[in-house]
Amino acid sequence: MYFQALFIFSLLIISSSQAAVLDFCVGDLSLPDGPGGYACKKPSKVTSDDFVFSGLATPVKLIPLIKAAVTPAFAPQFPGLNGLGISMARLDLAIGGVIPMHTHPGASEVLYVVQGEICAGFISSSDNKVFFKTLKQGDIMVFPQGLLHFQINSGKTSALAIVSFSSPTPGLQITDFALFANDLPTELVAATTFLDAALIKKLKGVLGGTN
Amino acid sequence: MYFQALFIFSLLIISSSQAAVLDFCVGDLSLPDGPGGYACKKPSKVTSDDFVFSGLATPVKLIPLIKAAVTPAFAPQFPGLNGLGISMARLDLAIGGVIPMHTHPGASEVLYVVQGEICAGFISSSDNKVFFKTLKQGDIMVFPQGLLHFQINSGKTSALAIVSFSSPTPGLQITDFALFANDLPTELVAATTFLDAALIKKLKGVLGGTN
Amino acid sequence: MYFQALFIFSLLIISSSQAAVLDFCVGDLSLPDGPGGYACKKPSKVTSDDFVFSGLATPVKLIPLIKAAVTPAFAPQFPGLNGLGISMARLDLAIGGVIPMHTHPGASEVLYVVQGEICAGFISSSDNKVFFKTLKQGDIMVFPQGLLHFQINSGKTSALAIVSFSSPTPGLQITDFALFANDLPTELVAATTFLDAALIKKLKGVLGGTN
Amino acid sequence: MYFQALFIFSLLIISSSQAAVLDFCVGDLSLPDGPGGYACKKPSKVTSDDFVFSGLATPVKLIPLIKAAVTPAFAPQFPGLNGLGISMARLDLAIGGVIPMHTHPGASEVLYVVQGEICAGFISSSDNKVFFKTLKQGDIMVFPQGLLHFQINSGKTSALAIVSFSSPTPGLQITDFALFANDLPTELVAATTFLDAALIKKLKGVLGGTN
Amino acid sequence: MYFQALFIFSLLIISSSQAAVLDFCVGDLSLPDGPGGYACKKPSKVTSDDFVFSGLATPVKLIPLIKAAVTPAFAPQFPGLNGLGISMARLDLAIGGVIPMHTHPGASEVLYVVQGEICAGFISSSDNKVFFKTLKQGDIMVFPQGLLHFQINSGKTSALAIVSFSSPTPGLQITDFALFANDLPTELVAATTFLDAALIKKLKGVLGGTN
Amino acid sequence: MYFQALFIFSLLIISSSQAAVLDFCVGDLSLPDGPGGYACKKPSKVTSDDFVFSGLATPVKLIPLIKAAVTPAFAPQFPGLNGLGISMARLDLAIGGVIPMHTHPGASEVLYVVQGEICAGFISSSDNKVFFKTLKQGDIMVFPQGLLHFQINSGKTSALAIVSFSSPTPGLQITDFALFANDLPTELVAATTFLDAALIKKLKGVLGGTN
């Protein structure tokens, strides 16, 4: 006989009704959340579908003027990631497309070039040194936590990249949007960026900022 | 004038020679490592190349009998990831290819299907419930930390997936290899797996285990 | 006078009604949990009994065919551990008893032999090297996070061990149960373990698996 | 034109209703809390006022006999700190004032002398070595996590210090209060402190302890 | 045939010379340490003995006047624990023995009574509430991180307990020793404890303190 | 007798030569560092001076054109903070002084107004909402991790603030410097910021950038 023993089924007295904190915590977005993420969906209601997300299979519509789009699979979109220290996103860049300077306040990022050619880089905080390189299909690049970085389609075809983050909720702060698509009074933007008021007002107009 | 001020260049007195602990810590594999990872390469020797890895651009040779291969980009292969809480790997599965049951002792995983169709799943620890699904191109699936999981090419073409981990050193323990490609005496393997000795000896023979 | 001062009692204005997040967070299993554990019981209802657990004082009934039992004191059984980064369990092994190959997905373990003699070991992930040793009364052994390990009564009397974990919810995945006490179709188990279908069906029959 | 593009406003599909887990988690003290802190206030109700606290601007009334006071700005007082790994407090010490020996169970501390002169120190656990020094205005001192420490006004004017902690809920355990302002039976206090019962009863009387 | 495939041995290209950061990091006490623990011993020199510690099998000599002893198995004594988030210690208490009031600055603790009867308790920081109980053989009790606690042999036989900590380096600060076995000037001890100078000098004399 | 026992001095066998990983890890900047910080100075060479820093007692010279200065007390300047999860800095703002838009990639911040009046704010990443307020002496404000924020002297006197961070190495990335005081080619800066090349070249000239 290949198996030498007749087990009793309930070897251990960990009831499945209490399983949530053991293996996973699929987020229940209808409950109050906490600093560590969403509250857990009841284990009895969790199915395979909770761990699979198809929202990256097709790109969202490109933003015409950056000729690019970011499609996140963070915990709010994919609650199966809740509490697991990881997430993904899809970058689509048409010819000439750009993901402008941005940061992820709470995560490091690794980018994988699925298709095309991408020039990507980040800026160190201590000495403003720029680390950048042109990546070809299959190359990966890491962007350390919280630093300004960018991606540009530097090839002659559209480009596709998958990026992964060291947090289920990495955040995304695009510098232009943060500075100009807000209601911070123009004089405060001017004082803190050293750009002049006329330019700021113009950018606010374009990006939907006020004041 | 667009910029209202003439800055002095050295606004802050953080010397770049001490920058390593601030932004990143590219691993220096020649120095002793610690529980948190490798010691840091001197910042003055760090270049853009340290943050880019091309080892996933081409698959390693497939293992004939599983018709598959795993190509890691963990901190030992890609020291730029050191200390950053993230890593990647590439999975190649020919038609009929399989990544056998395995765990990553220290990380959760997200898989992105670059090409083909993959049936993937994991087994919960509390009630041995299996969560599995057939994934198509562009789908992603999450595998919570430390749980047994697998990937099978369930399509009619070869498949390619990129997986990302919540640690720069996720580890990889393939159950068959752990159990049979070792020198643990057959009677101890038998006692702890309830497989019979003859089968274990056969498997040890195939996989290179001894005793 | 030994004490030089007449204190006013309420030196600090931290009201006890807000104390829960300060010192401890006894789990309230009736509330939704989160990635970090259970919600906290109201401090005013917490008593000394919440921090004491007697469930390890007597073993559960042994599982006849492994001649052993595991009695957990994890957060679901002992909610006073919630959020505190530690838990315990009791291992009872009759003569010839075995705790089969298993992992704890989210914790390292230290074992203390209270009585008897135990042969214990773990398998490293990088090179399938086995570290094992026969432990006598009073010996302790550490099992690094997430790695396959086992314990066998190698002595001539029954054995008792206390194990401690680096998490209040370490999880426990016994490989045989994970692989065969589930409803994963036999052909998928076969494909991912390289055991043949007949054996798998037999094991599923013994362990209560289906499909 | 300074800005080359007309952005569409909703570049990314992260709805603001799900923003709480991304950037901050202002504590809602009316909801159940968890091991990681309070549940999050709904983002739509968060205002600038949630991130500002004026409770340190004026000292609380000094405790006459220590001629000092501690005013905390921990998460219970300042819920905007919830989940952010930091907090503050204000120390007021009249001439001759003292913050008695105490610990913060869950945090390291840095003290900044705003005004006056303070003699401060801590005691290492491994060899009972005392590290102490007289600090002048503008000096800072660090007290490693969990160690006994104290602050004394050693100058000829009143002193003011701001202290910061590496946790939003550092806790504060003043040794004299812990030992004597409780209901632990005198014989147990005596057995565990080696002070005699008469002295303990006297101190309990002064500090409000019983038994 | 039970095993359907002939594997090639080197499935994965993770060389064992780089294994240290993957599975474990046995401490090498001869190298400089860091905030996270000791540097790692070279994997090629690690053996099973590195993961086993026999120093708790026999008690150290009891301290006559507390009729008790603490035998630590922390990372400095048992370097196999380095980086793994857990450690142990053995408590021996003769009849009437006491482990005096103390804290562990960086860890929570769980105590298991191997033999005898122990009265144990801790003091909360927020309201000086004491949680204590008499534990019998097999009972466990948890002491939350950083709080003052004690153990007393309350039975009629000697007692033995195994305690486990949520850190490989929990630290141990016995209040009496911290306050009186040091060289802090008596007037500073008096000022910060409100005990009088004569008593402090007497205690310093007994415990080996100076000044 | 007040103290009932004659202790033996060496109650515990934790030798002080191994104390470094227990209580603190003063950074030794001459040794290789790791992801968690600097290697530890030998405990026998650590003195009280290692835990005290006077570099914030006097401001550095103000930068004329921002009329402000930041004086850091991070681990590189104050190695006693190494590994302790906290640091400080001093902000000096003359009348009209400004700390321009910046981020700390790895830390949250709390600001305390020592003197004067400061208008401070931050920008959320999810919806570009600005949270800002005018702070008076004694007010504190929290800036969540990684988000763009600023401080402006909005009063009629010079202002002084002490800021504290949730990391010993919070980093500091001033947006203007990161974007213009670097050697990133102007066309890449233009592509990723949507500012025009002429303005970028001018700013690069002012700030010392090239290319």
Side-chain angles (χ1 to χ4, degrees):
Chain A
M1 194 186 78
Y2 304 113
F3 196 84
Q4 302 171 336
L6 283 162
F7 272 59
I8 291 173
F9 301 143
S10 54
L11 176 62
L12 293 165
I13 54 171
I14 304 172
S15 78
S16 67
S17 67
Q18 297 166 334
V21 295
L22 296 179
D23 284 341
F24 47 74
C25 173
V26 175
D28 181 337
L29 277 63
S30 71
L31 294 172
D33 54 352
Y38 295 111
C40 310
K41 192 173 174 175
K42 286 194 178 181
S44 60
K45 297 195 174 176
V46 171
T47 71
S48 294
D49 288 342
D50 285 304
F51 300 104
V52 177
F53 181 67
S54 295
L56 303 192
T58 49
V60 295
K61 197 166 171 299
L62 296 195
I63 308 301
L65 293 173
I66 61 167
K67 298 173 184 162
V70 178
T71 311
F74 300 169
Q77 292 81 35
F78 183 15
L81 298 171
N82 188 46
L84 294 181
I86 197 163
S87 61
M88 274 196 172
R90 170 189 176 122
L91 308 186
D92 287 89
L93 300 105
I95 298 173
V98 175
I99 310 294
M101 284 284 181
H102 63 283
T103 62
H104 305 287
S108 292
E109 171 183 342
V110 178
L111 177 148
Y112 170 82
V113 180
V114 179
Q115 171 189 301
E117 181 188 292
I118 292 174
C119 175
F122 68 89
I123 307 172
S124 77
S125 76
S126 52
D127 53 6
N128 306 311
K129 187 171 177 182
V130 186
F131 297 92
F132 72 108
K133 199 164 181 184
T134 298
L135 310 172
K136 298 194 183 305
Q137 185 176 319
D139 285 347
I140 66 175
M141 181 169 183
V142 62
F143 306 90
Q145 178 171 333
L147 298 180
L148 278 167
H149 61 289
F150 63 91
Q151 290 98 10
I152 300 176
N153 185 341
S154 56
K156 297 179 178 174
T157 65
S158 64
L160 172 63
I162 286 296
V163 291
S164 188
F165 301 94
S166 62
S167 163
T169 53
L172 168 57
Q173 184 159 55
I174 298 179
T175 307
D176 277 322
F177 273 65
L179 295 181
F180 307 119
N182 60 37
D183 62 359
L184 188 65
T186 293
E187 65 266 25
L188 291 185
V189 180
T192 58
T193 63
F194 295 92
L195 299 173
D196 69 16
L199 174 57
I200 292 165
K201 281 184 183 296
K202 184 175 301 190
L203 295 173
K204 278 183 171 262
V206 170
L207 290 166
T210 56
N211 296 329
Chain B
M1 194 186 79
Y2 304 113
F3 196 83
Q4 301 171 338
L6 284 162
F7 273 59
I8 290 174
F9 301 142
S10 54
L11 176 62
L12 292 164
I13 55 171
I14 304 172
S15 79
S16 67
S17 66
Q18 298 166 334
V21 295
L22 295 179
D23 284 341
F24 47 74
C25 173
V26 175
D28 182 336
L29 277 62
S30 72
L31 294 172
D33 52 354
Y38 296 111
C40 310
K41 193 173 175 176
K42 285 194 179 181
S44 60
K45 297 194 173 176
V46 172
T47 71
S48 294
D49 288 342
D50 285 303
F51 300 105
V52 177
F53 181 67
S54 295
L56 303 192
T58 48
V60 295
K61 198 167 171 299
L62 295 195
I63 308 301
L65 293 174
I66 59 166
K67 298 172 185 162
V70 178
T71 311
F74 300 168
Q77 291 82 33
F78 182 15
L81 298 171
N82 188 47
L84 295 182
I86 196 163
S87 61
M88 273 196 174
R90 170 189 176 122
L91 309 185
D92 286 90
L93 301 105
I95 298 173
V98 174
I99 310 295
M101 283 284 181
H102 63 283
T103 63
H104 304 287
S108 292
E109 171 183 342
V110 178
L111 177 149
Y112 170 82
V113 181
V114 179
Q115 171 189 301
E117 182 189 292
I118 292 175
C119 174
F122 68 88
I123 307 172
S124 78
S125 76
S126 52
D127 53 6
N128 304 312
K129 188 171 176 183
V130 186
F131 297 92
F132 72 107
K133 200 165 181 184
T134 298
L135 309 172
K136 298 192 183 307
Q137 186 176 319
D139 285 348
I140 66 175
M141 182 168 183
V142 63
F143 306 90
Q145 178 170 334
L147 298 180
L148 279 167
H149 61 288
F150 65 90
Q151 289 98 10
I152 299 177
N153 184 342
S154 55
K156 297 178 178 173
T157 65
S158 64
L160 172 62
I162 287 295
V163 291
S164 189
F165 301 94
S166 61
S167 163
T169 53
L172 168 57
Q173 185 161 53
I174 298 180
T175 306
D176 276 322
F177 273 65
L179 295 181
F180 307 119
N182 61 37
D183 61 359
L184 189 64
T186 294
E187 65 267 24
L188 291 186
V189 180
T192 57
T193 63
F194 295 94
L195 299 173
D196 68 16
L199 174 57
I200 292 164
K201 280 183 184 297
K202 184 175 301 191
L203 295 174
K204 276 183 172 262
V206 171
L207 290 166
T210 56
N211 296 331
Chain C
M1 194 184 78
Y2 302 114
F3 196 83
Q4 301 171 337
L6 284 162
F7 273 59
I8 291 174
F9 302 142
S10 54
L11 175 62
L12 292 166
I13 55 171
I14 303 171
S15 79
S16 66
S17 66
Q18 297 165 333
V21 295
L22 295 179
D23 284 341
F24 47 74
C25 172
V26 175
D28 181 336
L29 276 63
S30 70
L31 294 172
D33 53 354
Y38 296 110
C40 310
K41 191 173 176 176
K42 286 195 179 180
S44 60
K45 296 194 173 176
V46 172
T47 71
S48 295
D49 288 342
D50 285 304
F51 300 105
V52 177
F53 181 67
S54 294
L56 301 192
T58 49
V60 295
K61 196 166 172 299
L62 296 195
I63 308 299
L65 293 174
I66 60 167
K67 299 173 183 161
V70 179
T71 311
F74 299 168
Q77 291 82 34
F78 182 14
L81 298 172
N82 188 47
L84 294 182
I86 197 163
S87 62
M88 274 196 172
R90 169 188 178 124
L91 308 186
D92 286 89
L93 300 106
I95 297 173
V98 175
I99 310 295
M101 283 284 180
H102 63 284
T103 62
H104 304 287
S108 293
E109 171 183 344
V110 178
L111 176 149
Y112 170 82
V113 181
V114 178
Q115 170 190 302
E117 182 189 291
I118 292 175
C119 175
F122 68 89
I123 307 172
S124 78
S125 76
S126 53
D127 53 5
N128 305 312
K129 187 171 177 184
V130 186
F131 298 91
F132 71 107
K133 201 166 179 183
T134 297
L135 309 172
K136 298 191 182 306
Q137 186 175 318
D139 285 347
I140 66 175
M141 181 169 183
V142 63
F143 307 90
Q145 177 170 335
L147 298 180
L148 278 167
H149 61 289
F150 63 89
Q151 289 99 10
I152 299 177
N153 185 341
S154 56
K156 298 178 177 173
T157 64
S158 63
L160 172 63
I162 286 296
V163 291
S164 189
F165 301 95
S166 62
S167 163
T169 53
L172 168 57
Q173 184 161 53
I174 297 180
T175 306
D176 277 321
F177 273 64
L179 295 181
F180 306 119
N182 61 37
D183 61 359
L184 188 65
T186 294
E187 65 267 25
L188 291 185
V189 180
T192 57
T193 63
F194 295 92
L195 299 174
D196 68 16
L199 175 57
I200 292 165
K201 281 184 184 296
K202 186 176 299 191
L203 294 173
K204 277 184 172 258
V206 170
L207 290 165
T210 57
N211 297 329
Chain D
M1 195 185 81
Y2 304 115
F3 196 82
Q4 300 171 340
L6 283 162
F7 274 59
I8 292 174
F9 302 142
S10 55
L11 176 61
L12 292 166
I13 55 170
I14 304 171
S15 79
S16 67
S17 66
Q18 298 165 334
V21 295
L22 295 179
D23 284 342
F24 47 74
C25 173
V26 175
D28 182 335
L29 277 62
S30 71
L31 293 172
D33 53 355
Y38 296 110
C40 310
K41 192 174 176 176
K42 286 195 178 181
S44 60
K45 297 194 174 175
V46 171
T47 71
S48 295
D49 288 343
D50 285 304
F51 300 104
V52 177
F53 181 68
S54 295
L56 303 191
T58 48
V60 296
K61 197 166 171 300
L62 296 194
I63 308 300
L65 293 174
I66 61 167
K67 298 174 184 160
V70 178
T71 311
F74 299 168
Q77 292 82 35
F78 182 15
L81 298 172
N82 189 46
L84 294 181
I86 198 165
S87 61
M88 274 196 171
R90 170 188 176 124
L91 308 185
D92 287 90
L93 300 106
I95 298 173
V98 175
I99 310 295
M101 283 285 181
H102 64 283
T103 63
H104 304 287
S108 292
E109 171 182 342
V110 178
L111 176 148
Y112 170 82
V113 180
V114 180
Q115 170 190 301
E117 181 188 293
I118 292 175
C119 175
F122 67 89
I123 308 173
S124 78
S125 75
S126 53
D127 53 5
N128 305 311
K129 187 171 176 182
V130 186
F131 297 92
F132 71 107
K133 199 164 179 184
T134 297
L135 310 172
K136 298 194 183 304
Q137 186 176 320
D139 285 347
I140 66 175
M141 181 169 184
V142 62
F143 307 90
Q145 176 170 334
L147 298 180
L148 279 166
H149 60 288
F150 64 89
Q151 290 99 10
I152 300 176
N153 184 341
S154 55
K156 298 179 177 174
T157 65
S158 64
L160 171 63
I162 286 295
V163 291
S164 188
F165 301 94
S166 62
S167 164
T169 52
L172 168 56
Q173 184 160 54
I174 298 180
T175 306
D176 277 323
F177 272 65
L179 295 180
F180 306 119
N182 60 38
D183 61 359
L184 189 64
T186 293
E187 64 267 26
L188 291 185
V189 180
T192 58
T193 63
F194 295 94
L195 300 173
D196 67 15
L199 173 58
I200 292 165
K201 280 183 184 296
K202 184 176 299 189
L203 295 173
K204 276 183 172 261
V206 170
L207 289 166
T210 56
N211 296 329
Chain E
M1 194 185 81
Y2 304 114
F3 195 82
Q4 301 170 338
L6 284 162
F7 273 59
I8 291 175
F9 302 142
S10 54
L11 177 62
L12 292 166
I13 56 171
I14 304 171
S15 78
S16 66
S17 66
Q18 297 164 336
V21 295
L22 296 179
D23 284 341
F24 47 74
C25 173
V26 175
D28 181 336
L29 277 62
S30 71
L31 294 171
D33 53 354
Y38 295 111
C40 310
K41 192 173 175 176
K42 285 195 179 182
S44 61
K45 297 195 173 175
V46 171
T47 71
S48 294
D49 288 342
D50 285 304
F51 301 105
V52 177
F53 181 68
S54 295
L56 302 192
T58 47
V60 295
K61 197 165 172 301
L62 296 194
I63 308 301
L65 293 175
I66 60 167
K67 298 174 184 160
V70 178
T71 311
F74 300 168
Q77 291 82 34
F78 182 14
L81 298 171
N82 189 45
L84 295 181
I86 196 163
S87 62
M88 274 196 171
R90 170 189 176 124
L91 308 185
D92 286 89
L93 301 106
I95 298 173
V98 175
I99 310 295
M101 283 284 181
H102 63 283
T103 62
H104 304 287
S108 293
E109 171 182 342
V110 178
L111 176 149
Y112 170 82
V113 180
V114 179
Q115 170 190 302
E117 181 189 291
I118 292 175
C119 175
F122 68 89
I123 307 172
S124 78
S125 76
S126 52
D127 53 6
N128 304 312
K129 187 170 175 182
V130 186
F131 296 91
F132 71 108
K133 199 164 179 183
T134 298
L135 309 173
K136 299 192 181 306
Q137 185 175 320
D139 285 347
I140 66 175
M141 181 168 184
V142 63
F143 306 90
Q145 178 170 334
L147 298 180
L148 279 166
H149 60 288
F150 64 89
Q151 289 99 9
I152 300 176
N153 184 342
S154 56
K156 297 178 177 173
T157 65
S158 64
L160 171 63
I162 286 296
V163 291
S164 189
F165 300 95
S166 61
S167 163
T169 53
L172 168 57
Q173 186 161 54
I174 298 180
T175 306
D176 276 323
F177 271 65
L179 296 181
F180 307 119
N182 60 37
D183 62 358
L184 189 65
T186 293
E187 64 267 25
L188 290 186
V189 180
T192 58
T193 62
F194 294 94
L195 299 173
D196 68 17
L199 174 58
I200 292 164
K201 280 183 182 297
K202 184 175 300 190
L203 295 173
K204 277 183 171 262
V206 171
L207 290 165
T210 56
N211 295 330
Chain F
M1 195 186 77
Y2 304 112
F3 196 83
Q4 301 171 340
L6 283 161
F7 273 58
I8 291 174
F9 302 142
S10 54
L11 176 62
L12 292 166
I13 55 170
I14 304 172
S15 80
S16 66
S17 66
Q18 297 164 333
V21 295
L22 295 179
D23 284 341
F24 47 74
C25 173
V26 175
D28 181 336
L29 277 62
S30 71
L31 293 172
D33 53 354
Y38 295 110
C40 310
K41 192 173 176 177
K42 286 195 179 181
S44 60
K45 296 195 174 175
V46 172
T47 70
S48 294
D49 288 343
D50 285 303
F51 301 104
V52 177
F53 181 68
S54 294
L56 303 192
T58 49
V60 295
K61 196 166 171 298
L62 296 195
I63 308 300
L65 293 175
I66 59 167
K67 299 173 184 161
V70 178
T71 311
F74 300 168
Q77 291 83 33
F78 182 14
L81 298 171
N82 188 47
L84 294 181
I86 198 164
S87 61
M88 275 194 172
R90 169 188 176 123
L91 308 185
D92 286 90
L93 301 106
I95 298 173
V98 174
I99 311 294
M101 283 285 179
H102 63 284
T103 63
H104 305 287
S108 292
E109 172 183 343
V110 178
L111 177 150
Y112 170 82
V113 181
V114 179
Q115 171 190 300
E117 181 189 291
I118 292 175
C119 175
F122 68 89
I123 307 172
S124 78
S125 76
S126 52
D127 53 5
N128 305 312
K129 187 170 175 183
V130 186
F131 296 92
F132 71 107
K133 200 164 180 183
T134 298
L135 309 172
K136 298 192 183 305
Q137 185 176 319
D139 285 347
I140 68 175
M141 181 167 183
V142 62
F143 307 89
Q145 177 169 336
L147 299 180
L148 279 166
H149 61 288
F150 64 90
Q151 290 98 10
I152 299 176
N153 185 341
S154 56
K156 298 180 177 174
T157 65
S158 64
L160 172 63
I162 286 296
V163 290
S164 188
F165 301 94
S166 61
S167 163
T169 54
L172 168 56
Q173 185 161 53
I174 298 180
T175 306
D176 277 321
F177 273 65
L179 295 181
F180 307 118
N182 60 39
D183 61 359
L184 188 64
T186 294
E187 65 268 25
L188 291 185
V189 180
T192 57
T193 63
F194 294 92
L195 299 174
D196 68 15
L199 174 57
I200 292 164
K201 282 185 183 296
K202 185 176 301 190
L203 295 172
K204 278 184 171 259
V206 171
L207 290 165
T210 56
N211 297 329

